[in-house]
Amino acid sequence: MKKSKVFWVFSVLALVIYAVVQGLISGGILDLYYQNILVQMCINIMLAVSLHIVIGITGQFSIGHAGFMAVGAYFSAIATMKLGLPLPVGLILGAGVAALAGLLVGLPTLRLKGDYLAIATLGFAEIIRIIFLNVDYVGGAAGMVVMNMTTWTYAFAGVFITIIVISNFTNSRHGRGAISIREDEIAADAMGINTTYYKVVAFTIGSLFAGLAGAIYAHNFFIIQPTTFNFLKSFDILIYVVLGGLGSLSGSVIAAIFLTVVSAFLANFPETRMIIYSLVLILVMLYRPTGLMGTKEITSLFKFGRKGGTKI
């Protein structure tokens, strides 16, 4: 009953936020600059939450998330620009191919742990980037021209679906199996939990939504290039999760919103942008080493449900 109440409260709140922003856009109060920041914020939230299920829930250290984003971006762009398919089909295709890539990469690599897994995922992301860099069909190093078709509605729908699916997975029996792997993989294996299965499932779900974020990203700008999806992009996504608090879905969302706003504000100061950006991160880590939310969720602050890190 409490779980249902929390779900409906946040669903209504999300619809109110969507309606208010859509009203501001329709009324001409939010111009294209602010609309672009909102779409970018939604993309970053999707990337943060999709990596949260891999690192924060399952405890697998992956630093190749930009690779799945690139797969979603390029395959959705091929669907719309080369094959002439509508945008919704392109988004589904991009997310689906990214999920398939996550499954193919996860099966052999998720038997690795710690630093070895991080290196393997980073290697996958670099392989993807190099492939797109050398394929003339998608523009090679010059990049691929993509029509701007993403709107606030598409971006918000993507965030809403991502949070609902990953939140429900986290609170399910499968999610508890994944959390047990994060806490102690040896103990979970001894209790009969199929650790490889749960890690691959979480990795595939995370890849799917990273691909969806990439597909929305590709259609928000007029060109996509392989250099956009390099290892620095993977570290940007990792920062969202670490800053928000490992194990906190709402923390990942808050960190993505916070850093998107900081980046947009500092865009007017290109010379000192990265210095100030880094100082903000250092200060947060010094005074809040567990991240902004630790392992708690925002619902625990309002006492909607049980304490812990498994509810939004």
Side-chain angles (χ1 to χ4, degrees), residues 274-285:
M274 291 310 297
I275 296 175
I276 299 175
Y277 188 85
S278 302
L279 285 175
V280 170
L281 295 175
I282 291 170
L283 288 174
V284 172
M285 287 294 106

Side-chain angles (χ1 to χ4, degrees), residues 76-265:
S76 65
I78 291 171
T80 55
M81 304 308 298
K82 300 287 187 182
L83 305 179
L85 298 174
L87 179 59
V89 177
L91 298 181
I92 294 171
L93 180 65
V97 175
L100 180 61
L103 177 64
L104 295 176
V105 173
L107 282 173
T109 59
L110 286 177
R111 297 182 185 278
L112 304 173
K113 297 178 183 178
D115 298 342
Y116 300 105
L117 176 60
I119 293 170
T121 53
L122 179 61
F124 161 74
E126 283 299 296
I127 289 171
I128 292 296
R129 189 178 68 81
I130 297 299
I131 289 175
F132 288 130
L133 189 66
N134 291 282
V135 175
D136 293 334
Y137 182 70
V138 293
M144 184 175 180
V145 177
V146 185
M147 286 182 63
N148 186 339
M149 293 187 277
T150 300
T151 63
W152 158 248
T153 300
Y154 279 113
F156 184 85
V159 169
F160 186 78
I161 293 170
T162 302
I163 291 178
I164 289 296
V165 171
I166 292 182
S167 174
N168 277 283
F169 173 84
T170 305
N171 291 301
S172 70
R173 178 171 61 88
H174 301 286
R176 288 191 288 275
I179 291 172
S180 71
I181 297 171
R182 180 192 69 187
E183 297 300 322
D184 193 324
E185 185 173 346
I186 296 175
D189 193 37
M191 293 298 293
I193 294 174
N194 189 338
T195 56
T196 302
Y197 168 77
Y198 285 115
K199 286 193 288 187
V200 171
V201 168
F203 203 71
T204 304
I205 295 174
S207 304
L208 185 148
F209 288 110
L212 181 60
I216 294 175
Y217 173 89
H219 293 85
N220 189 48
F221 298 96
F222 293 98
I223 190 169
I224 51 174
Q225 294 175 306
T227 52
T228 306
F229 308 102
N230 57 18
F231 73 95
L232 289 177
K233 184 63 181 177
S234 294
F235 279 106
D236 279 345
I237 304 168
L238 179 64
I239 287 172
Y240 298 146
V241 180
V242 174
L243 184 64
L246 291 174
S248 174
L249 187 151
S250 51
S252 298
V253 174
I254 293 170
I257 294 173
F258 173 68
L259 290 179
T260 304
V261 172
V262 169
S263 295
F265 176 76

